[in-house]
Amino acid sequence: MTTWIISDLHLCAQRPAVTQAFLHWLHTEVTTADALYILGDFVEVWVGDDILSDPQHGAEFVPIVQALRALSERDVQLYLMHGNRDFLIGEHFARACGLQLLPDPTLLTFGSTRVLLSHGDALCTDDVAYQQFRAQVRSSQWQQAFLAQPLSARLAFAEQARSQSAENKSKYGMDIMDVNSAAVTTLLREYDYPEVLLHGHTHRPGRHPLTVDGHQCERVVLGDWHDTAVVANINHTSCELQTLTLSNTIPSR
Ligand code: LP5
Ligand code: MN
């Protein structure tokens, strides 16, 4: 029994090597797995599922959708949780890929180990400007109004949001962009102290043991996909972080 958990691939046409490495990894390692969980920021930006049928902007996603669909047809269970870049991924995309959308957070059980999955952005409560933005764009009213706009307008908004976000990040300290420990404690308490909290978003992979109300828990953080990717592999006995070297994963031509 093997389950892979990944996040923060930020797939986009500008970084074709990452997409290729991901596709190769799917075709090799993941074909024999039981399940693959993608914990958000799968793509760099997602402005609506109708992008799939856009001749210009949809093409980059065709091989990704096909590869996921092929895995789901081989009975690999596929799951996707929204991140702050792709919270507009909807049921149309999910069906095309043969995957199931998951709420954030989602609790899984592997043997005697409970693993709470989250993207991680909701835990960054010191980042007040981001939490305000998040509350706005996660409301169904905002999403309906946004999705009603033409694709070109949505892409332009996304580009503006990206550059504003990059500017903000260069202005504010890195500290406010990590998870808030009180928010982590509250979440673990709410879910009855799962042994593991697994998330991405911060791009600071690592393992952080912590004690909450006398219960031993661990916060495990996935990495983003650049030259390397830090992913989690769970089987009956353990939850391991593994570093994939993406340059080795890209098939030579
Ligand atoms: O993503 P990253 O790592 O740069 O930073 C995140 C937070 N920023 C975001 C914003 C996204 O990067 C961009 C949106 C993705 C596209 C989604 C679909 C379309 C939506 C269109 C919206 C109008 O998530 C950043 C955090 C950081 O993580 C660390 O946790 O700090 O948050 C911010 O920078 C807070 C800002 O307040 C975000 C504000 C961007 C809003 C700009 C609106 C511009 C629209 C123009 C309207 C006229
Ligand atoms: Mn994120």
Side-chain angles (χ1 to χ4, degrees):
M1 195 219 76
T2 296
T3 293
W4 291 98
I5 308 189
I6 62 177
S7 72
D8 302 284
L9 292 85
H10 294 267
L11 298 179
C12 60
Q14 290 70 38
R15 301 191 307 135
V18 175
T19 301
Q20 277 201 40
F22 172 61
L23 293 174
H24 183 68
W25 183 69
L26 288 184
H27 289 142
T28 50
E29 205 77 63
V30 186
T31 45
T32 54
D34 295 279
L36 170 67
Y37 289 81
I38 305 169
L39 300 190
D41 289 1
F42 179 45
V43 295
E44 180 74 349
V45 289
W46 193 259
V47 296
D49 288 359
D50 56 338
I51 200 157
L52 287 178
S53 49
D54 183 78
Q56 190 191 347
H57 297 102
E60 64 174 290
F61 302 109
V62 171
I64 299 166
V65 170
Q66 282 174 349
L68 289 172
R69 174 143 215 104
L71 278 178
S72 82
E73 284 166 1
R74 293 180 62 137
D75 287 331
V76 180
Q77 306 301 307
L78 304 175
Y79 302 94
L80 178 79
M81 185 179 279
H82 289 146
N84 56 300
R85 306 291 194 90
D86 52 13
F87 56 87
L88 288 173
I89 286 180
E91 285 299 336
H92 175 74
F93 178 79
R95 268 195 303 276
C97 298
L99 62 78
Q100 199 179 315
L101 293 174
L102 288 181
D104 184 352
T106 288
L107 186 67
L108 303 180
T109 303
F110 297 91
S112 58
T113 307
R114 290 165 303 149
V115 180
L116 186 62
L117 306 178
S118 177
H119 178 59
D121 57 327
L123 296 168
C124 300
T125 52
D126 296 331
D127 194 343
V128 175
Y130 171 66
Q131 294 303 334
Q132 282 168 354
F133 172 73
R134 187 180 194 276
Q136 185 185 359
V137 299
R138 297 296 180 105
S139 78
S140 54
Q141 197 187 1
W142 183 92
Q143 293 191 359
Q144 273 169 28
F146 185 76
L147 291 171
Q149 302 193 49
L151 182 61
S152 56
R154 280 178 273 146
L155 286 167
F157 278 129
E159 205 173 302
Q160 261 183 286
R162 285 293 310 119
S163 53
Q164 185 162 333
S165 183
E167 197 186 312
N168 281 7
K169 286 205 296 191
S170 65
K171 270 199 300 223
Y172 302 118
M174 286 297 283
D175 284 356
I176 67 153
M177 291 174 196
D178 205 349
V179 297
N180 171 288
S181 51
V184 169
T185 299
T186 302
L187 184 67
L188 289 169
R189 196 174 277 143
E190 193 182 330
Y191 279 82
D192 198 23
Y193 316 103
E195 285 71 27
V196 177
L197 165 63
L198 187 50
H199 71 83
H201 180 67
T202 60
H203 303 184
R204 299 179 206 205
R207 308 189 71 123
H208 308 275
L210 66 156
T211 307
V212 184
D213 304 336
H215 298 265
Q216 196 57 47
C217 305
E218 190 179 23
R219 183 169 69 88
V220 179
V221 189
L222 302 167
D224 61 329
W225 288 50
H226 278 283
D227 299 329
T228 59
V230 180
V231 305
N233 182 275
I234 300 187
N235 59 39
H236 276 308
T237 52
S238 64
C239 167
E240 303 291 341
L241 280 183
Q242 287 188 17
T243 302
L244 310 179
T245 305
L246 298 186
S247 50
N248 289 349
T249 320
I250 298 167
S252 52
R253 292 178 186 279

